[in-house]
Amino acid sequence: LRRFQLEARSAGALNHPNILAIYDIGTHDECPYLVTELLTGESLRDRLSRGRLSTGRAIDYARQVAGGLAAAHAKGIVHRDIKPDNLFITKDGYVKILDFGLAKAAAVASSADEPTRSFGSSVGSVLGTAAYMSPEQACGQPVDQRSDLFSFGCVLYEMLTGARAFQGNSTVDLFTAILTKDPDPSAIEEPALRRIVAHCLEKSPEQRFQSARDIIFALDAITQ
């Protein structure tokens, strides 16, 4: 229930075309509910099950996701579970970020009159989906927006190649790969995209892109 309420507060604090809109939260017969916009289309996971995306389509989707992340990060909200399952592609080509249930919101208040509330987990807890976790997330260390950018890099790699950036037969194998290995760069044909993915997937947060807006700038440079 706490995660459900956190998702409502986190997403409800945002207003961006690439983030699922939440219109209301309430309780009916002691059962909590959310009212969201109705989406028609498929998840990115379903789309990738049919193979990798074209370079142009991958750049388009990546830019939209980065735009949604930039909006969330500007509000102090770190998603912490960016993966193809939580990205929805509508029939008209919009990408929507779903599921803020693991989000870490440093300061989200629903109104100016309501006290600021802090949400998050204690240091040492591991939250998220193993194959898309940042190294600091896998180690249970504190995370900030740069953790989302690592997960974003994993998704971009998968869109471009059709394969996961990090693979393993168990969670331990996945964590080992994330902490010690790099995905095959030759699988990405476009050198500029190869550099963007590599920059997202730096093991150290200090070596990565520092904001989603930086990624948008880099993607725009390719399209121009």
Side-chain angles (χ1 to χ4, degrees):
L1 179 58
R2 180 172 174 272
R3 292 295 177 192
F4 180 86
Q5 293 169 338
L6 173 58
E7 176 175 2
R9 288 192 175 277
S10 298
L14 303 170
N15 180 19
H16 192 275
N18 297 118
I19 295 176
L20 177 72
I22 290 186
Y23 300 126
D24 190 24
I25 177 175
T27 303
H28 178 73
D29 291 338
E30 300 184 353
C31 181
Y33 66 83
L34 290 175
V35 179
T36 78
E37 64 177 317
L38 177 63
L39 302 180
T40 303
E42 63 181 349
S43 71
L44 180 58
R45 169 67 65 213
D46 290 337
R47 171 59 189 85
L48 289 174
S49 68
R50 301 193 299 274
R52 69 181 183 89
L53 305 181
S54 67
T55 299
R57 187 61 56 84
I59 291 175
D60 176 32
Y61 290 171
R63 195 190 186 287
Q64 292 190 59
V65 174
L69 287 176
H73 296 164
K75 292 283 188 178
I77 297 171
V78 182
H79 189 284
R80 297 203 291 182
D81 199 21
I82 294 296
K83 59 184 178 181
D85 312 73
N86 286 338
L87 301 173
F88 193 91
I89 306 168
T90 68
K91 285 192 172 180
D92 52 3
Y94 283 97
V95 180
K96 300 277 187 174
I97 301 176
L98 313 179
D99 192 359
F100 279 80
L102 291 183
K104 180 179 181 181
V108 177
S110 61
S111 73
D113 298 326
E114 185 176 354
T116 297
R117 290 178 169 82
S118 293
F119 300 95
S121 57
S122 60
V123 175
S125 61
V126 177
L127 299 172
T129 303
Y132 302 91
M133 283 185 182
S134 66
E136 60 271 26
Q137 197 175 5
C139 292
Q141 297 173 350
V143 301
D144 57 23
Q145 75 278 358
R146 295 170 297 183
S147 179
D148 281 347
L149 304 188
F150 186 94
S151 302
F152 169 91
C154 294
V155 173
L156 179 54
Y157 182 91
E158 193 166 344
M159 287 195 292
L160 292 167
T161 68
R164 289 189 177 182
F166 301 99
Q167 302 186 36
N169 295 322
S170 67
T171 300
V172 173
D173 289 343
L174 281 170
F175 283 178
T176 299
I178 289 169
L179 293 171
T180 64
K181 298 180 181 179
D182 294 314
D184 178 15
S186 65
I188 301 175
E189 297 177 359
E190 171 61 47
L193 282 172
R194 196 180 304 157
R195 289 192 293 270
I196 290 175
V197 171
H199 200 18
C200 288
L201 297 181
E202 292 283 358
K203 307 301 183 186
S204 169
E206 288 74 20
Q207 299 300 317
R208 288 177 214 146
F209 285 105
Q210 296 301 290
S211 74
R213 295 197 180 279
D214 291 340
I215 294 177
I216 293 173
F217 181 82
L219 291 170
D220 286 346
I222 294 177
T223 58
Q224 292 169 4

